[in-house]
Amino acid sequence: MKRENPLLYHQFISPKVYLLSIVGLLISSVGFSQGSRVPLNNDYYHLLSRYEILQGRQAFSFDSNVKTYRRSSVGAWLDSLDNKNLSKTDKFNFDYLANDHWPFIDSGNTVARKPILRHLYKRPADFWHVKTDGLLLRVNPVLYFGVGSDERSGTPFINTRGIQVEGTIDDKIGFYSYIGENQMAPPGFAYDYVQSTLTLPYQGFWKGYGDRGVDFLTTRGHINFSATQHVGLELGYGKHFIGNGFRSLILSDFSNDYAYFRSDVNVWRIHFTYLLGQLTADIFGNPTGLFGTRGFPIKHLALHRIGIDVTDRLNIGLFEAIMYGDESERFDARYLNPFAFFRAIEQQNGSEGNALLGLDADWIIGKHLNVYGQFLLDELIVSELSDNRGWWGNKYALQIGGKYIDAFAIKNLDFQFEFNRVRPYTYAHEDLYRSYTHYRQPLAHPLGANLREIVLVARYQPLPRLSLKGSLIRTQYGTDTLTSNWGNNILLDNRTREQDYGNDLGQGIPTELTITEAAATYQAWHNVFFDLRYVYRVTDIAETTQGQSVGFLSLGLRANIAPVRYDY
């Protein structure tokens, strides 16, 4: 019998199949104690950051500059903390976090209660759970009902119903799944954003609902395991956030979820993260919603970051990212090596991708202050920078920020200050396959580039269950027009730029956006919150005679979900 040449099959097997095969073999052979990841939530992650600062040292079991965190890592870290001599409110927050991670806590700070109807809420954090040999399963409903008022859109509201399932198998494999159905009539300024960009901030596919509403599904999930004690692997559909700030100039959670493979190495003082993402290059739709009759084109992201705890208090990270793709939607196997220098590989390919480099730092000073920063480099020629002629290709972003907890000796009064600066044309490229975007949404700062911004956040928890929060965001940027490209809209082809020299921050139509928000949140039950919020926005555009201002007041009830954000 004639033997078939195995090489004939080799060309039909994609690198993704090889990767998934390797993952499958590892899952079947080895694993260590695991857990799902803590969903992204600004208020929740602030509590974790707060305890890191109170302890006066970087967390040892995870890199706090790369979110999300595994629950098993957070549990191990919470067990190591000194929770004595805490204020009543801090003790409440610590117990709240411990109960949220109870399967991974050994310190005895969790509670079990008499169940409701024999099976429900045996633990405060779980509507229903089962823990047997080989299986941990936690199930929670996700609810969000809110109603508001503004001057333009009648009665804004949100109506979310969903379910969240997470757990572990054999203490080796962690899994998480969430599905939610949403109908929302956003306030006028948010609906204008949707209509003008055809994108829904922090979300993905949407369709029209009623006169001024949107209807959308949200889903995310992942499965993870440890190849060794210090190496974790994960396949998922979700998003990530790099940095310790309110914004991230490297990778934020503003865009839609995406398919990814992630690997984390945490050994000694070294934290290494490797991320491959399959992203959406473009979308198709009209003001009534996106089209669901054809596939959206895809592109690819390869990113890695190494963080080093130089001391117990100081973490410095170096990162590199490549965005690449074209109409063929091919996957490049050369980026499967997490330890190769991506920029050199991209150069070997003919410099066809969009390469970004940079660093970040996170320094805990004493037990009350945290200073952080980021620097992203998209492109730079030193001679052009020193000539100071405003060359368009000097593209970079800078962030400097700080957190001050228990400010002025007042317990549970926390402040955060942040300054962001992004040069024109940063993140943009020659087409949507290589712009640093996903689903036509920025992957870093929500407003794109060509901006400077100040962020002030104040948090106060006067009672254990009551949290107050106020924020002020002031962003100055230069907008583009329908016929001009001054470097703000990173979806535009940077070859259509207005000029090669003479470019400066804020060029184009000078615009100033001020967002003020005040919120009071009461936690009536574990992860069940009542929210009262007021958002006031002022937009000043140089070519108009007066600014546009709008206020939005809302009242909401939510369970196991973060509040809607209007910080764009």
Side-chain angles (χ1 to χ4, degrees):
M1 182 181 293
K2 182 179 179 181
R3 297 183 63 185
E4 296 177 347
N5 186 351
L7 294 179
L8 294 177
Y9 295 97
H10 191 86
Q11 59 183 317
F12 298 108
I13 303 177
S14 72
K16 296 179 184 178
V17 175
Y18 283 119
L19 179 61
L20 293 174
S21 300
I22 293 171
V23 170
L25 289 173
L26 287 172
I27 289 179
S28 64
S29 62
V30 66
F32 293 84
S33 180
Q34 280 311 300
S36 58
R37 291 194 176 273
V38 181
L40 286 170
N41 180 328
N42 258 9
D43 298 329
Y44 196 100
Y45 274 86
H46 169 74
L47 289 180
L48 297 175
S49 176
R50 176 181 166 79
Y51 281 106
E52 195 175 30
I53 300 170
L54 280 174
Q55 295 296 315
R57 67 176 187 270
Q58 300 284 337
F60 70 90
S61 57
F62 56 88
D63 189 337
S64 58
N65 291 280
V66 183
K67 304 172 178 68
T68 55
Y69 313 150
R70 286 187 179 181
R71 290 196 182 275
S72 53
S73 300
V74 175
W77 175 67
L78 290 173
D79 267 338
S80 72
L81 300 184
D82 180 9
N83 63 342
K84 299 177 181 179
N85 302 318
L86 294 177
S87 68
K88 181 180 179 180
T89 298
D90 277 325
K91 184 63 168 62
F92 173 86
N93 291 336
F94 185 89
D95 291 343
Y96 163 72
L97 293 172
N99 282 308
D100 221 35
H101 296 82
W102 67 266
F104 311 102
I105 297 290
D106 298 324
S107 58
N109 290 291
T110 64
V111 297
R113 294 178 174 177
K114 184 178 180 180
I116 300 174
L117 299 177
R118 299 181 58 187
H119 300 290
L120 307 182
Y121 287 111
K122 294 179 181 179
R123 294 276 183 170
D126 298 323
F127 174 76
W128 180 82
H129 83 269
V130 59
K131 193 176 190 302
T132 64
D133 291 340
L135 176 66
L136 167 67
L137 184 63
R138 309 172 68 186
V139 180
N140 275 299
V142 175
L143 301 172
Y144 196 164
F145 303 113
V147 63
S149 174
D150 70 4
E151 300 170 358
R152 292 181 43 205
S153 55
T155 306
F157 70 87
I158 182 169
N159 180 7
T160 295
R161 296 87 60 212
I163 187 170
Q164 176 178 284
V165 180
E166 59 184 299
T168 62
I169 300 174
D170 293 330
D171 291 327
K172 296 180 179 181
I173 299 174
F175 60 89
Y176 173 87
S177 180
Y178 166 69
I179 178 71
E181 183 183 11
N182 314 265
Q183 289 83 41
M184 179 171 65
F189 61 84
Y191 188 73
D192 289 345
Y193 185 96
V194 174
Q195 293 292 287
S196 62
T197 66
L198 299 186
T199 66
L200 185 60
Y202 298 99
Q203 304 295 336
F205 188 91
W206 65 277
K207 55 185 178 180
Y209 178 81
D211 293 334
R212 294 181 59 86
V214 293
D215 187 307
F216 59 99
L217 285 173
T218 303
T219 186
R220 60 184 66 96
H222 58 257
I223 181 170
N224 57 42
F225 58 95
S226 287
T228 73
Q229 182 179 355
H230 302 288
V231 179
L233 304 175
E234 179 170 306
L235 287 171
Y237 185 80
K239 53 179 105 173
H240 309 80
F241 188 97
I242 295 181
N244 209 12
F246 184 86
R247 306 286 198 197
S248 175
L249 304 183
I250 301 172
L251 182 63
S252 77
D253 58 343
F254 180 71
S255 66
N256 188 25
D257 299 285
Y258 46 88
Y260 67 86
F261 168 76
R262 173 174 171 176
S263 176
D264 293 281
V265 178
N266 292 287
V267 59
W268 187 53
R269 292 179 175 271
I270 297 174
H271 308 278
F272 180 80
T273 298
Y274 169 61
L275 181 69
L276 294 176
Q278 179 175 292
L279 280 59
T280 300
D282 200 2
I283 57 176
F284 312 112
N286 60 33
T288 65
L290 300 186
F291 301 153
T293 56
R294 54 185 290 197
F296 298 155
I298 65 173
K299 60 182 178 180
H300 303 279
L301 171 69
L303 182 149
H304 52 188
R305 176 191 179 274
I306 182 168
I308 301 175
D309 293 333
V310 180
T311 69
D312 289 343
R313 297 176 177 272
L314 176 62
N315 177 282
I316 295 178
L318 301 173
F319 76 91
E320 181 185 25
I322 298 287
M323 183 71 72
Y324 68 94
D326 53 32
E327 290 80 0
S328 69
E329 301 183 349
R330 62 184 176 83
F331 175 80
D332 196 330
R334 283 169 286 198
Y335 295 116
L336 284 175
N337 184 350
F339 301 108
F341 186 43
F342 288 165
R343 172 59 178 137
I345 294 176
E346 188 257 353
Q347 220 172 29
Q348 296 295 326
N349 297 348
S351 294
E352 61 180 7
N354 185 9
L356 301 99
L357 310 170
L359 59 88
D360 59 86
D362 179 28
W363 183 25
I364 298 174
I365 303 173
K367 294 188 176 182
H368 296 278
L369 186 62
N370 173 218
V371 178
Y372 59 88
Q374 294 181 338
F375 177 74
L376 176 137
L377 181 61
D378 192 349
E379 187 175 353
L380 179 70
I381 294 180
V382 177
S383 61
E384 293 285 1
L385 186 64
S386 60
D387 286 345
N388 196 28
R389 294 190 296 164
W391 184 52
W392 78 276
N394 286 334
K395 301 179 292 182
Y396 58 86
L398 175 68
Q399 177 186 89
I400 300 174
K403 299 177 182 178
Y404 180 27
I405 68 170
D406 291 341
F408 312 114
I410 301 175
K411 293 291 185 180
N412 302 102
L413 175 63
D414 302 340
F415 290 104
Q416 183 174 3
F417 166 82
E418 185 172 297
F419 172 76
N420 297 302
R421 187 178 192 270
V422 185
R423 284 274 299 172
Y425 306 106
T426 305
Y427 307 116
H429 212 272
E430 295 178 358
D431 54 44
L432 292 176
Y433 287 99
R434 289 172 289 180
S435 65
Y436 200 62
T437 59
H438 166 52
Y439 229 82
R440 293 188 69 91
Q441 299 165 320
L443 277 172
H445 197 288
L447 296 182
N450 191 20
L451 64 90
R452 61 171 62 89
E453 177 182 69
I454 293 178
V455 179
L456 299 173
V457 182
R459 303 172 187 264
Y460 184 47
Q461 202 169 350
L463 300 172
R465 294 186 178 274
L466 178 63
S467 298
L468 306 177
K469 178 181 175 182
S471 63
L472 172 66
I473 305 172
R474 187 172 183 178
T475 312
Q476 297 174 316
Y477 57 103
T479 59
D480 310 305
T481 69
L482 293 177
T483 58
S484 67
N485 179 5
W486 292 103
N488 171 241
N489 185 353
I490 64 176
L491 297 169
L492 298 179
D493 184 344
N494 59 21
R495 292 171 298 184
T496 64
R497 58 188 177 271
E498 298 303 307
Q499 55 197 21
D500 287 340
Y501 291 92
N503 296 281
D504 199 5
L505 206 66
Q507 64 186 16
I509 302 175
T511 304
E512 184 171 278
L513 173 64
T514 303
I515 306 174
T516 306
E517 181 174 353
T521 298
Y522 184 80
Q523 186 175 181
W525 183 266
H526 189 98
N527 279 332
V528 177
F529 304 92
F530 288 97
D531 297 322
L532 177 64
R533 302 171 66 189
Y534 180 72
V535 180
Y536 185 70
R537 296 168 57 98
V538 178
T539 305
D540 287 315
I541 305 174
E543 293 188 353
T544 60
T545 58
Q546 61 182 9
Q548 301 174 359
S549 61
V550 61
F552 170 57
L553 179 67
S554 65
L555 179 66
L557 166 66
R558 56 187 172 89
N560 301 301
I561 191 172
V564 176
R565 295 175 61 175
Y566 298 109
D567 51 8
Y568 52 88

